[in-house]
Amino acid sequence: MSYTGPDFDPPPSRRFRRGPLTVALAALVPGALLGWAVYATVGGSGDDEGDASASAGTSASASSLQPSSPGTPSPGGSDEPDGSDGSDGSDGKKSSTSPGATSPSASAPLGTGPLRGKVVVIDPGHNPGNFRHTAEINRQVDVGTHSKECDTTGTSTDDGFSEAKFTLDVAHRMRAFLEGQGATVKLTQDDDRPFGPCVDERARIGNEAEADAVVSIHADGSGTGNRGFHVILPGSVDSGAADTRAIVGPSRELGERIAGNFVRATGNGPSNYVGGGTGLVTRKDLGGLNLSTVPKVFVECGNMRDSKDAALLTSGAWRQKAAQGISEGIVSFLRG
């Protein structure tokens, strides 16, 4: 996601705590740090190693799983990026779902698998139709600590591949994986409404589903040279409609497990521009986290504005690895 607009304001300047993530990930996910060591040695996916650290900007292993929705690119990277005019490449058909209704796309409950009885909500950041509804997404909503815009259009690569298309594709791949593990999976949106949902409704969908875990999928819009993923964790907030105190601990555990599995599955390392090299960032300004009453994190899978990260984000094969890494982190968290 770009750090412009709702939930995307630049984080205040501060020193990030350098926690013992190396030890934590080694304990949580055997082999995760080995994957990062390989990435650091060979550059990962054929890229050059050793990108210089930049100042803080804006913002698995191979699987045979296929996406669960017709029309979703298969893991081969053959799909073409969106046009620069903001088109999402869809046929323009929408359901009659009211933009203000809380009606997430949900899978049927599955009877078998280790996640039987578990509910996972996947929040694909931004709606492909947002750019057609600027007045609606610019309206202010209450996020507990303050008010901000309902949503944004998100960012895109220089070639026009949109964050909204990226997040929906990864969400479909995650849904296929998690349903295969027996979970009931709900999406906050599936390009089945004209725009949105707003950030407050995104949180409400997870809350009303009594989700065991919620993950919001994004890609950043930072500067060239800023590379890598990071997981955004909720800070402790108790203000207005926001009270995250009960979810801070479990959300951190969820985020750590996702970070470790993401490294292992993709071979890509943590952000070189936020998080102090830990791949974890805590924020108190995001409505999607502030208003959540269930464990929730955001995952910024890479930086769309850096050409090397963009080459990964536009690859169907890499998106499959990213989806598997995030999903395996969720499974690890839910199984304990």
Side-chain angles (χ1 to χ4, degrees):
M1 65 185 179
S2 169
Y3 283 109
T4 303
D7 283 2
F8 315 118
D9 298 330
S13 177
R14 64 185 183 273
R15 295 181 62 186
F16 294 102
R17 180 177 64 85
R18 294 176 179 267
L21 185 66
T22 299
V23 175
L25 294 188
L28 291 169
V29 188
L33 297 184
L34 176 61
W36 167 234
V38 171
Y39 173 88
T41 301
V42 303
S45 302
D47 294 336
D48 294 334
E49 63 171 325
D51 289 319
S53 241
S55 60
T58 62
S59 167
S61 49
S63 170
S64 60
L65 294 173
Q66 297 297 319
S68 61
S69 296
T72 303
S74 61
S78 59
D79 51 305
E80 294 296 326
D82 290 352
S84 58
D85 62 353
S87 170
D88 61 7
S90 70
D91 60 7
K93 296 179 182 177
K94 305 285 183 183
S95 76
S96 59
T97 303
S98 168
T102 304
S103 54
S105 172
S107 67
L110 302 178
T112 60
L115 297 189
R116 178 182 178 183
K118 299 295 187 181
V119 176
V120 177
V121 171
I122 304 173
D123 177 28
H126 316 288
N127 183 314
N130 276 359
F131 75 96
R132 300 186 185 95
H133 297 274
T134 54
E136 292 89 343
I137 67 172
N138 283 332
R139 73 179 180 85
Q140 297 286 302
V141 298
D142 178 22
V143 299
T145 55
H146 58 292
S147 294
K148 64 194 326 178
E149 293 88 346
C150 158
D151 201 359
T152 69
T153 60
T155 188
S156 67
T157 66
D158 291 341
D159 291 333
F161 182 66
S162 69
E163 181 183 2
K165 186 172 182 179
F166 169 83
T167 63
L168 200 57
D169 180 71
V170 171
H172 289 162
R173 296 170 190 268
M174 288 175 59
R175 180 170 62 189
F177 182 97
L178 293 166
E179 286 180 342
Q181 297 290 308
T184 296
V185 180
K186 300 183 179 183
L187 270 60
T188 59
Q189 60 91 14
D190 199 1
D191 194 16
D192 52 358
R193 51 191 292 163
F195 64 90
C198 296
V199 294
D200 57 338
E201 185 182 350
R202 288 175 185 268
R204 187 163 63 250
I205 290 169
N207 297 344
E208 292 180 351
E210 298 182 347
D212 296 285
V214 184
V215 177
S216 188
I217 307 300
H218 288 274
D220 209 354
S222 188
T224 298
N226 292 345
R227 297 197 61 199
F229 78 93
H230 61 281
V231 181
I232 304 176
L233 313 174
S236 182
V237 174
D238 180 18
S239 177
D243 186 355
T244 63
R245 291 172 295 177
I247 68 164
V248 167
S251 295
R252 170 168 282 274
E253 182 182 354
L254 172 62
E256 288 177 344
R257 290 178 182 265
I258 287 174
N261 278 279
F262 195 92
V263 168
R264 183 172 60 84
T266 66
N268 293 94
S271 169
N272 65 6
Y273 59 102
V274 291
T278 67
L280 302 175
V281 176
T282 299
R283 291 177 63 177
K284 299 181 180 181
D285 61 317
L286 305 185
L289 296 180
N290 286 0
L291 299 177
S292 183
T293 59
V294 294
K296 182 174 182 179
V297 299
F298 283 37
V299 182
E300 295 281 359
C301 296
N303 175 23
M304 290 195 131
R305 291 298 183 175
D306 177 84
S307 61
K308 293 178 180 178
D309 269 12
L312 300 176
L313 297 166
T314 55
S315 162
W318 188 87
R319 291 196 298 273
Q320 183 70 13
K321 294 178 182 179
Q324 180 144 349
I326 298 169
S327 298
E328 288 176 344
I330 295 171
V331 172
S332 175
F333 169 74
L334 294 180
R335 298 193 70 182

